[in-house]
Amino acid sequence: MAEFDSLRTGTVGARAAQIDEGLRAYMNKVYGLMSVAMLITGAAAWAIAGLAVTSDATNAVAQIGADKYLTSFGALLYTSPLKWVVMLLPLGLVFLMSGMINRMSAAAAQLFFYVYAVVMGVSISSIFVVFTGASIATTFLVTAIAFASLSLYGYVTKRDLSAMGAFLMMGLIGIIIASLVNLFLQSDGLQFVVSVLGVLIFAGLTAYDTQNIKNTYLQHAANGDQEWLAKSAIMGALNLYLDFINLFMFLLQFLGNRD
């Protein structure tokens, strides 16, 4: 009997160690996918802004600052009706990917994620036109530190964060609607309120999503479906990527210095 108990204990311990190892590999993949997407977004935003703005008045369409002019491409992207497509396309692609993920292969989902990262880069490229490079870098550093702390909390905490998930999602829907309305109202007061709520909501979502990603793996690790786990990691990376981007953009409203 003692030998059986020892064998059973050893088997359970080995299984637990295997799950822990798998969880670490899974989370590393999630953060790795997110990091690559962040690099793609940053590179795309910087490149597009470089094409949209020039210091040469000869080929400029409009002056937007001291020795800073919009090119014809920049005017098309930021001042024509195309700007609405650029602003709203990332939101539409998120819903599209969420709806199609079960019918996509893991490789296709990963490619879609990276294409989405490029689109997001185009969408937020105007920050390089509006804000100084130093303030963008500073805000990015602050966001990275805050995100890492919140994600670590979500990973290690024993507190169940699922209860606040519904509240955060309602808040998210609220700020999306308010942001869309403010595209037409252009109210500074509403923008301030949305920015404050946005920082709080995406801070909470960072911790919540991290815990949810971890729990999702623990609940499904035993089924051994590697394709499903791969797609789950991609969706987890997308969620954390969106948390980071939105946290950064809302913080930029407070910390960014306008050029």
Side-chain angles (χ1 to χ4, degrees), residues 153-155 157 159-166 168 204 207-209 211:
Y153 171 76
Y155 185 82
T157 185
R159 179 185 175 187
D160 185 4
L161 303 180
S162 59
M164 70 179 192
L168 291 170
Y208 168 79
D209 285 336
Q211 185 179 81

Side-chain angles (χ1 to χ4, degrees), residues 233-247:
I234 293 166
M235 291 305 296
L238 174 62
N239 287 334
L240 291 182
Y241 165 89
L242 290 172
D243 292 339
F244 189 104
I245 289 289
N246 283 284
L247 187 59

Side-chain angles (χ1 to χ4, degrees), residues 93-118:
L93 289 180
V94 164
F95 289 122
L96 180 62
M97 184 173 180
S98 298
M100 293 180 57
I101 187 67
N102 290 329
R103 299 192 297 272
M104 300 169 68
S105 66
Q110 183 171 324
L111 177 60
F112 193 107
F113 181 30
Y114 290 155
V115 170
Y116 176 79
V118 173

Side-chain angles (χ1 to χ4, degrees), residues 30-42:
V30 169
Y31 288 120
L33 289 167
M34 173 197 162
S35 298
V36 171
M38 289 295 303
L39 289 173
I40 292 173
T41 296

